Amino acid sequence: MPRDYLTIAQVGLLVLAGGSFAWLTQMAGVLVWPRGLEKVAVAAAGQAVAGFAEAIGTADEDRLRHTAALAMHESWTALVTHQPTRPRPNGSLSRLRALNRELNLLFASVMNAPAIGDFSLAATADRARLLAPRRLTPENMRNARTPIMSR
């Protein structure tokens, strides 16, 4: 920057204005789609668990189990590590955590599928896809706490 006509204070204000604009641009997504990154993470986990359930007994089973485990870890990290410790009880973060917990239980049940006996992997895959927030409206997300499977 040429120093002939700008003072140090003016340069500082220009840098502050540029940083503020960059921060506002980065945070604009929160206004457009609140909890969007968390929803995407849970949706990816749901798709990965569904893919793993459908791959049981195939050559891709190990690879898709690893993919589902990583997706579950990433969604849990997005929902817990980077969030407040105690979210609002009926807020979207709490509902996403409940969906993620149910996906974890589905993932565990698929991993134990041979030991369970009468267990429908196709129904589990459908349930995991249903839990993906992209397919759920806010109304359905409030009612998403249904039993995983009937035994």
Side-chain angles (χ1 to χ4, degrees):
M1 286 186 149
R3 295 189 309 178
D4 297 342
Y5 63 92
L6 293 177
T7 66
I8 296 293
Q10 289 172 327
V11 171
L13 285 174
L14 286 173
V15 170
L16 179 65
S20 298
F21 178 75
W23 182 80
L24 288 172
T25 304
Q26 174 70 27
M27 299 306 290
V30 172
L31 299 174
V32 176
W33 195 29
R35 298 277 176 219
L37 294 176
E38 293 87 353
K39 290 175 185 176
V40 167
V42 175
Q47 295 299 326
V49 169
F52 171 54
E54 291 171 340
I56 295 293
T58 67
D60 286 338
E61 179 180 347
D62 289 338
R63 181 182 60 82
L64 291 175
R65 180 181 60 233
H66 181 71
T67 301
L70 285 176
M72 294 301 302
H73 174 72
E74 289 173 9
S75 67
W76 188 248
T77 299
L79 293 171
V80 176
T81 304
H82 305 296
Q83 303 298 333
T85 305
R86 295 176 192 235
R88 290 184 317 209
N90 292 325
S92 60
L93 180 59
S94 295
R95 289 190 299 273
L96 285 169
R97 284 181 178 178
L99 291 174
N100 197 59
R101 182 180 183 280
E102 189 165 349
L103 285 172
N104 269 303
L105 293 173
L106 284 173
F107 181 63
S109 65
V110 170
M111 297 234 347
N112 295 323
I116 293 176
D118 66 346
F119 180 76
S120 172
L121 291 170
T124 303
D126 290 342
R127 178 71 180 150
R129 281 199 179 88
L130 176 68
L131 289 175
R134 288 184 193 148
R135 294 205 173 174
L136 293 176
T137 64
E139 178 63 29
N140 289 340
M141 283 180 69
R142 279 191 283 280
N143 300 324
R145 295 181 185 169
T146 56
I148 295 172
M149 61 182 164
S150 56
R151 287 192 186 190

